[in-house]
């Protein structure tokens, strides 16, 4: 009996029996550890799931806590996504200054080619006759009451004008400049900020629609004759009518092409010096026989580069033919026109006269007499007009916009016209031919005044909604507020769950160590008891 009892006690002390008991103990301890933490956590709602006595209340609390947790996760996700969109806002300020940079002022005669120059060129006379401008103009007048026919005639006139413009733009730049209106003939008076100015203050460029255009205060290194000139912009220190730019111009209506130019005057455009002017799309018409006063209000816009919403650019790594040809800075319009020109070059094999094109690239000008070329060019003109071209043209980061207030009065007045007529006779030339007729004087002369209404300017600045220093702090505080609102989490709550995680890790480490120690020792001289015997002794 003693041997049986000792043998029984010895068998009950086998390591296998202790391993079974240890597993049961570990599982119970892990469950108890989790329940203890959740029952006493500072997160509101979770302890109520375990404290509820009735199953229905426990189920309601479980549903409510799960719903609140999902809402908190959803709103935090939205907040993080908003954070990575880099939101911004606009700040508008009125800046007072004692000195403002005067903008560039571009003027173009509404008549692009002088009649006397066309008459001297047999080829241009033939081109004008072949284009059908005279016939379409006559048909337009005879069918003015039929709206559908009038629309068709307008399309025909536009097509005829394009044919003539295509022939004209086949000429060299020197020939086109010679055929256009000359600044020396047009400019009869110039005054800026109370001081006289002259033609050397202007630079020139060729526009496909208006011919020779002249820019005052363009900051280019040469004037319109090609002579060296200062690149510093002119400034004004006083606002008002007396301290702006005063121009008197002779538009030479006697040189207008009858069937091509339907309105008289000049096209005037006010822009920043770095911007390429596009008078065919921007600007105002200034009529003859009037003094047109244009008051300016400057608006400066500062945008943010990527990754912010505007994703503006300074023109880095973006092709700009207007910079290559005219030295102009990057603008969105210049980029779109460069893209249109590149599309025509790639698909039609020629360069279009409507857009800038560097001569060194070597592509010929488009000849619209070729049907295939004409159809191809029309297709991409249509795409350009309807903004269907695939172009990467973001906004420029810095932009100056000038808001205009335009007013006018009769000029020269009846009291002044006699003295003005005497001056015209002294100047001679074509002005002498119109000096004796007040009606012809008012038909051929333009006066324009451009001035700042005040020295203040409006600054529209795009700013990050969250600055570099505070955006992480704002994100964390906002997320903390949402989680605290929905589920009552705080930093202390996170510390509790962190402590729970450490306890679980330590528990598993301790279990692994105990398992290794128990399985690591075995007596090779002791026979392993059978599972049947183990079960019997366990029941005992």
């Amino acid at each position: 009996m003693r041997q049986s009892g000792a043998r029984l006690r010895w068998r009950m002390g086998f390591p296998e029996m202790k391993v079974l008991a240890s597993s049961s103990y570990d599982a119970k301890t892990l469950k108890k550890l989790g329940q203890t933490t959740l029952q006493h956590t500072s997160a509101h709602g979770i302890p109520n799931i375990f404290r509820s006595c009735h199953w229905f209340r426990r189920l309601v609390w479980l549903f409510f806590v799960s719903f609140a947790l999902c809402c908190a996760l959803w709103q935090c996700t939205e907040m993080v996504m908003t954070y990575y969109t880099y939101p911004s806002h606009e700040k508008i300020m009125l800046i007072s200054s004692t000195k403002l940079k005067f903008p560039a002022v571009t003027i173009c005669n509404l008549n692009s080619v002088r009649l006397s120059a066309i008459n001297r060129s047999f080829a241009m006379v033939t081109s004008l006759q072949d284009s059908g401008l005279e016939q379409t103009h006559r048909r337009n007048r005879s069918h003015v009451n039929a709206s559908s026919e009038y629309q068709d005639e307008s399309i025909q006139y536009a097509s005829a004008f394009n044919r003539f413009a295509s022939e004209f733009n086949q000429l060299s730049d020197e020939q086109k400049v010679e055929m256009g209106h000359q600044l020396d003939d047009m400019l009869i008076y110039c005054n800026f900020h109370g001081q006289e100015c002259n033609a050397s203050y202007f630079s020139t460029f060729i526009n496909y629609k208006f011919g020779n255009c002249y820019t005052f205060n363009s900051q280019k290194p040469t004037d319109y004759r090609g002579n060296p000139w200062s690149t510093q912009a002119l400034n004004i220190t006083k606002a008002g009518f007396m301290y702006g730019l005063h121009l008197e111009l002779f538009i030479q209506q006697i040189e207008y092409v009858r069937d091509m130019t339907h309105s008289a005057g000049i096209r005037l455009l006010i822009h920043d010096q770095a911007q390429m002017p596009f008078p065919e799309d921007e600007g105002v018409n200034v009529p003859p026989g009037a003094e047109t006063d244009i008051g300016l209000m400057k608006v400066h816009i500062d945008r943010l580069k990527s990754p912010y919403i505007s994703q503006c650019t300074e023109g880095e790594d973006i092709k700009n033919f207007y910079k290559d040809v005219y030295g102009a800075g990057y603008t969105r319009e210049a980029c779109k026109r460069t893209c249109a020109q590149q599309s025509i070059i790639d698909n039609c094999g020629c360069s279009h006269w409507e857009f800038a094109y560097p001569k060194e690239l070597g592509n010929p000008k488009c000849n619209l007499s070729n049907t295939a070329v004409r159809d191809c060019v029309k297709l991409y003109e249509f795409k350009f007009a309807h903004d269907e071209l695939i172009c990467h043209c973001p906004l420029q980061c810095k932009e100056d916009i000038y808001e205009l207030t335009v007013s006018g009065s009769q000029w020269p007045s009846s009291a002044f016209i006699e003295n003005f007529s005497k001056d015209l006779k002294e100047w001679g030339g074509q002005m002498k031919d119109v000096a004796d007729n007040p009606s012809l004087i008012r038909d051929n002369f333009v006066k324009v005044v451009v001035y700042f209404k005040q020295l203040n300017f409006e600054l529209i600045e795009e700013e990050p909604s969250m600055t570099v220093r505070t955006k992480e702090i704002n994100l964390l505080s906002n997320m903390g507020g949402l989680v605290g609102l929905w589920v009552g989490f705080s930093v202390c709550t996170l510390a509790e769950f962190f402590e729970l995680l450490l306890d679980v890790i330590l528990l598993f480490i301790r279990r692994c160590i105990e398992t290794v120690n128990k399985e690591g020792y075995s007596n090779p001289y002791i026979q392993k008891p059978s599972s049947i015997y183990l079960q019997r002794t366990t029941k005992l």
Side-chain angles (χ1 to χ4, degrees), residues 20-43:
L20 290 174
S22 176
S23 299
S24 176
Y25 174 79
D26 289 344
K28 186 180 294 184
T29 303
L30 182 61
K31 180 179 179 181
K32 184 177 180 181
L33 181 62
Q35 286 182 347
T36 302
T37 304
L38 294 177
Q39 287 176 359
H40 297 87
T41 182
S42 59

Side-chain angles (χ1 to χ4, degrees), residues 297-308:
M297 179 66 183
K298 179 181 175 180
V299 180
H300 180 76
I301 302 175
D302 274 344
R303 300 183 179 94
L304 294 174
K305 293 185 177 181
S306 180
Y308 293 95

